[in-house]
Amino acid sequence: MGRGGENYGKRENAGAASSKQETFPAWARDVKQCEEKYQVNRELGLPSAEVEKRRQIYGLNELLKHEPTSIFQLLLEQFNDTLVRILLAAAIISFVLAWYDGEGGGEKETTAFVEPLVIFLILIVNAIVGIWQESSAEKALEALKEIQSEHADVIRDGKKVSSLPAKELVPGDIVELRVGDKVPADMRVLSLISSTVRVEQGSLTGESEAVSKTVKVVPENSDIQGKKCMVFAGTTMVNGNCICLVTEIGMNTEIGKVHSQIHEASQSDTDTPLKKKLNEFGEVLTLIIGMICILVWLINVKYFLSWEYVDGWPTNFKFSFEKCTYYFEIAVALAVAAIPEGLPAVITTCLALGTRKMAQKNALVRKLPSVETLGCTTVICSDKTGTLTTNQMAVSKLVAIGSRSGTLRSFDVEGTTYDPFDGKILGWPVDGMDANLEMIAKISAVCNDAGVEQSGRHYVAIGMPTEAALKVLVEKMELPEKYASSSAPGDPRRCCQVWNKMVQRIATLEFDRDRKSMGVIINSSSGNKSLLVKGAVENLLERSSFIQLLDGSTVELDKYSKDLILQVLREMSTDALRCLGFAYKEELPEFATYNSDEDHPAHQLLLNPSNYSSIESNLIFVGLVGLRHSNKTSRILLGKRFIKQLKTAKQLGFVLWSLQETIRTQQKLFVAKLVYSDIVKISLPGA
């Protein structure tokens, strides 16, 4: 925790002191105990006077601003290399000798200084490239601040304060979180306003699945993923809304601890394999060249030093300083000629090109030699799918109902990103969408809380990756001709916007793990109420009584059609696809006059999630989709107990090594050690 960049030293000391204090395990205490600990009432919040007192104690809710590395220090680091130091010494000696020759009446022309000037130029270019690269990477150490929330809805003095700057939060504040909000601090969940609350916390845990939150206590020794009554700074709300109590801010949050670890790692000075080899080469080269120069100089001693023997003892020494200097220049010239002046420049150029290519993939490297470390990595050992994928989903297969009962149609969908223009749907009907495909598009667009936005050159998901992938599918499906004129051509969200404009969402039946589905009640332009549902295919089939055919007509869901759909589901699941089914319901008598009025009798049904399964009954099944992950790496190492991941790994295109093969061929495997202090930031498009 800190109070501003101007008090950096004090902040660091305060942060160190506070970290030593015993942390209150809010996750292992019930709501009442937490309120008593932080002396706050959830209905009233903290009074303004108390807020100021706590701010004086805890500081602002922001991450530390570490002092950046000075340009002078970066310059010195560029010469922390044996080969570079050899070149620098050779250049200085060559320059001094060239100057001395000129002063002595020798050749004091431009040609005499060509060699030292060229060496100096190589060293200057090498230093400039290194400083530029590290200066750019230093800025990436602030990347963690980008995932911090900027505003929060807080209750203070019994009033709700909207869009309060998140840095002004203090422990004990009462905060309301909604779908899409970034969590501004580590907080204890006090109450759920919606039936379910889910938070995507992959930035801390690496897990791709959103975590359902609760108010119930958990064991004190639980890990981050197990603290289901806590929400953490930097994570994102993907479903529901809730009331929370701030427990930790600033550097005491989990993301603050990660920030501290990255800073500590960045201060370590671990040499990469390339730098070690270059240093070894420089030391050997120095030794060999030094011995040769001394040997050449000693061979020519007789030309500038002579003596006579008198009574067996050398006397009458004659020394020629000019000749000594001449032969010393020959030795130095030989040393300079033996030094590969172009090697540092070639290495720097190659590594700079490597960092440029990696930057195009959103990977920023702090030190140039680390490019070689990453480049020689051939095997990555992992124990979970979430580490292998980018937390990015894409629909790869669409299955719709055919023209008669017992028939299905399958379409392959190209593209692996959230870019709506990335690929198309193969085998799409030439005459456009039929009624069945229209319903699939409508459910995908409307029964959906996610979004897709363009960020720089990439498209990113806002909300759950699975739902964002469905939004991309809708755009690839295009619009029926009757609606095409009402959209703006070229808009990557135009199709979803059209489908949402045609209806009005008046209620949401939120997802839960029991029924494994999500539903929305909509009001069409004609005033009729209907229900759109998406969820696990098996669960939807159990609650479906009909299927919709190609022309929009409905027929009873018989056993043959159900078995056929389940067979396709098994095949898609075998190919490591995550499957989602779609269904709808046209008649909702209890909601015929409902328009989100809390006094309406139907509203009471929505307050109890146990009623959702009965509302989502007698559905009309319309189709399903298969979604796949995007992969991060090209080769993985799997143990025996990870056999269930083989299908996923194969689908992602990995080269698989079993545990036995690894033991037999361990001499052929090379697992490069990644120097964490040199790898500042690695992200992938859409991740």
Side-chain angles (χ1 to χ4, degrees):
M1 293 176 295
R3 296 174 184 165
E6 69 277 8
N7 295 324
Y8 170 75
K10 295 179 180 179
R11 290 169 51 196
E12 194 161 29
N13 293 335
S18 62
S19 62
K20 295 178 182 179
Q21 297 176 0
E22 184 178 354
T23 302
F24 176 71
W27 57 91
R29 304 291 184 266
D30 60 34
V31 171
K32 185 178 180 180
Q33 289 177 304
C34 292
E35 290 181 352
E36 292 176 352
K37 167 67 178 178
Y38 291 95
Q39 300 176 0
V40 65
N41 183 291
R42 79 175 76 176
E43 303 296 334
L44 302 177
L46 292 174
S48 299
E50 182 64 23
V51 170
E52 291 302 322
K53 289 180 182 179
R54 298 191 183 191
R55 184 170 295 125
Q56 294 298 321
I57 298 173
Y58 299 101
L60 294 176
N61 178 32
E62 58 184 7
L63 300 181
L64 285 177
K65 295 180 180 178
H66 299 286
E67 291 287 350
T69 306
S70 65
I71 296 295
F72 180 72
Q73 186 177 352
L74 289 177
L75 179 63
L76 292 180
E77 289 179 359
Q78 306 312 311
F79 294 91
N80 188 24
D81 182 275
T82 304
L83 192 59
V84 171
R85 288 197 290 263
I86 294 173
L87 282 175
L88 183 61
I92 293 174
I93 295 174
S94 297
F95 185 83
V96 171
L97 292 178
W99 182 272
Y100 176 78
D101 283 347
E103 289 293 331
E107 183 187 12
K108 188 178 181 183
E109 302 291 339
T110 305
T111 54
F113 295 92
V114 168
E115 189 170 41
L117 288 176
V118 168
I119 298 176
F120 276 126
L121 182 62
I122 291 174
L123 293 176
I124 291 172
V125 172
N126 183 70
I128 290 174
V129 173
I131 291 174
W132 171 79
Q133 178 67 25
E134 293 200 29
S135 297
S136 300
E138 285 288 345
K139 299 176 182 178
L141 288 174
E142 301 295 318
L144 283 176
K145 294 189 176 181
E146 297 177 4
I147 66 175
Q148 283 190 299
S149 175
E150 296 181 357
H151 300 91
D153 293 340
V154 186
I155 299 175
R156 286 181 178 173
D157 296 314
K159 299 178 181 179
K160 184 176 180 181
V161 182
S162 299
S163 300
L164 179 80
K167 68 179 182 180
E168 297 183 10
L169 291 176
V170 296
D173 264 326
I174 304 298
V175 178
E176 181 179 350
L177 295 176
R178 297 186 181 89
V179 175
D181 288 349
K182 284 187 177 179
V183 180
D186 287 4
M187 300 188 286
R188 171 67 157 90
V189 179
L190 298 182
S191 61
L192 305 183
I193 298 177
S194 58
S195 59
T196 57
V197 171
R198 288 184 295 162
V199 179
E200 193 282 305
Q201 49 192 40
S203 57
L204 289 176
T205 64
E207 298 290 346
S208 60
E209 290 290 334
V211 179
S212 295
K213 296 299 179 179
T214 179
V215 297
K216 297 179 180 179
V217 299
V218 297
E220 188 169 334
N221 60 351
S222 301
D223 57 13
I224 292 179
Q225 197 76 351
K227 296 176 182 178
K228 295 187 177 182
C229 58
M230 297 288 294
V231 292
F232 302 99
T235 60
T236 305
M237 294 279 293
V238 296
N239 178 255
N241 56 324
C242 58
I243 301 295
C244 302
L245 167 67
V246 176
T247 58
E248 299 289 353
I249 63 172
M251 295 301 293
N252 282 345
T253 61
E254 294 296 334
I255 198 69
K257 296 174 184 177
V258 173
H259 180 85
S260 298
Q261 292 169 0
I262 290 179
H263 178 70
E264 291 173 4
S266 68
Q267 303 304 309
S268 64
D269 189 20
T270 306
D271 288 341
T272 64
L274 177 62
K275 190 172 182 180
K276 289 180 180 178
K277 291 178 182 178
L278 289 177
N279 285 337
E280 291 174 1
F281 172 72
E283 292 171 359
V284 173
L285 188 64
T286 302
L287 180 62
I288 295 175
I289 291 176
M291 294 178 62
I292 292 176
C293 291
I294 293 173
L295 182 62
V296 169
W297 192 65
L298 291 176
I299 290 175
N300 293 282
V301 166
K302 61 183 179 180
Y303 293 110
F304 58 84
L305 179 65
S306 60
W307 60 85
E308 296 178 356
Y309 286 95
V310 177
D311 297 331
W313 294 92
T315 58
N316 299 327
F317 287 95
K318 295 180 180 180
F319 176 74
S320 173
F321 181 75
E322 182 178 352
K323 289 183 178 180
C324 177
T325 304
Y326 173 75
Y327 287 110
F328 181 71
E329 289 180 13
I330 292 177
V332 171
L334 179 62
V336 173
I339 295 174
E341 295 95 338
L343 182 59
V346 171
I347 292 174
T348 301
T349 303
C350 292
L351 294 179
L353 291 174
T355 59
R356 183 179 177 183
K357 283 190 174 183
M358 293 185 68
Q360 293 173 352
K361 299 292 185 181
N362 289 344
L364 184 58
V365 178
R366 182 169 181 262
K367 294 183 182 294
L368 288 177
S370 299
V371 177
E372 182 265 350
T373 307
L374 291 171
C376 64
T377 301
T378 57
V379 178
I380 294 178
C381 304
S382 178
D383 66 340
K384 55 187 177 182
T385 307
T387 306
L388 308 176
T389 62
T390 63
N391 196 24
Q392 177 173 305
M393 302 291 292
V395 176
S396 63
K397 186 176 288 293
L398 167 63
V399 178
I401 309 300
S403 58
R404 64 181 186 277
S405 180
T407 60
L408 298 176
R409 297 172 293 162
S410 179
F411 304 94
D412 291 326
V413 184
E414 297 178 331
T416 58
T417 68
Y418 292 127
D419 185 353
F421 307 106
D422 178 19
K424 58 183 180 180
I425 303 177
L426 304 180
W428 196 244
V430 179
D431 53 352
M433 299 171 64
D434 51 63
N436 180 236
L437 294 175
E438 285 185 26
M439 182 55 69
I440 293 176
K442 183 178 180 180
I443 298 173
S444 299
V446 179
C447 186
N448 197 317
D449 289 327
V452 176
E453 292 183 357
Q454 188 169 6
S455 176
R457 295 177 296 173
H458 308 297
Y459 287 85
V460 296
I462 307 299
M464 288 290 291
T466 304
E467 293 189 332
L470 295 180
K471 286 288 183 77
V472 176
L473 172 66
V474 174
E475 301 302 329
K476 293 179 180 179
M477 294 174 74
E478 295 290 342
L479 287 169
E481 292 185 6
K482 55 186 176 182
Y483 303 133
S485 60
S486 61
S487 62
D491 187 345
R493 296 173 294 181
R494 65 187 187 97
C495 298
C496 290
Q497 290 174 350
V498 170
W499 286 115
N500 279 280
K501 285 180 181 179
M502 289 190 298
V503 300
Q504 176 190 7
R505 277 178 59 168
I506 59 175
T508 301
L509 281 63
E510 291 154 343
F511 175 90
D512 64 57
R513 297 188 179 276
D514 294 328
R515 74 184 206 285
K516 296 183 180 179
S517 62
M518 169 193 174
V520 293
I521 299 175
I522 61 172
N523 189 9
S524 63
S525 56
S526 61
N528 296 326
K529 305 294 191 301
S530 57
L531 174 68
L532 307 180
V533 186
K534 75 173 189 297
V537 179
E538 307 97 318
N539 294 54
L540 290 190
L541 285 175
E542 290 177 3
R543 301 199 298 271
S544 296
S545 303
F546 307 92
I547 56 173
Q548 183 192 52
L549 302 181
L550 180 149
D551 59 1
S553 60
T554 60
V555 297
E556 186 177 351
L557 176 62
D558 56 21
K559 186 176 184 304
Y560 178 78
S561 298
K562 185 175 182 179
D563 291 342
L564 180 61
I565 295 172
L566 290 175
Q567 180 182 349
V568 172
L569 173 65
R570 284 191 293 270
E571 293 174 356
M572 294 169 65
S573 299
T574 303
D575 291 334
L577 297 182
R578 178 180 295 178
C579 299
L580 278 178
F582 304 104
Y584 73 102
K585 185 177 182 180
E586 289 183 326
E587 297 181 1
L588 297 170
E590 60 271 34
F591 294 94
T593 58
Y594 178 68
N595 281 297
S596 302
D597 185 1
E598 294 184 2
D599 296 328
H600 195 283
H603 187 75
Q604 300 303 316
L605 295 175
L606 299 175
L607 296 179
N608 188 357
S610 61
N611 297 324
Y612 292 173
S613 294
S614 61
I615 298 174
E616 294 177 352
S617 61
N618 295 322
L619 299 174
I620 304 173
F621 191 83
V622 296
L624 66 151
V625 296
L627 304 97
R628 70 176 62 201
H629 288 277
S630 296
N631 65 306
K632 282 181 180 175
T633 57
S634 59
R635 181 178 294 184
I636 61 174
L637 182 66
L638 298 174
K640 285 183 177 179
R641 66 194 188 101
F642 305 121
I643 297 301
K644 64 180 181 180
Q645 294 182 349
L646 290 178
K647 286 291 183 180
T648 301
K650 182 178 179 182
Q651 179 265 325
L652 292 175
F654 291 110
V655 178
L656 301 178
W657 299 73
S658 73
L659 196 58
Q660 292 86 348
E661 287 175 330
T662 303
I663 295 174
R664 289 199 303 268
T665 62
Q666 58 183 342
Q667 299 301 324
K668 297 181 181 179
L669 289 179
F670 174 66
V671 182
K673 178 184 178 183
L674 300 180
V675 183
Y676 189 54
S677 63
D678 294 340
I679 306 167
V680 177
K681 178 184 178 183
I682 295 182
S683 60
L684 291 104

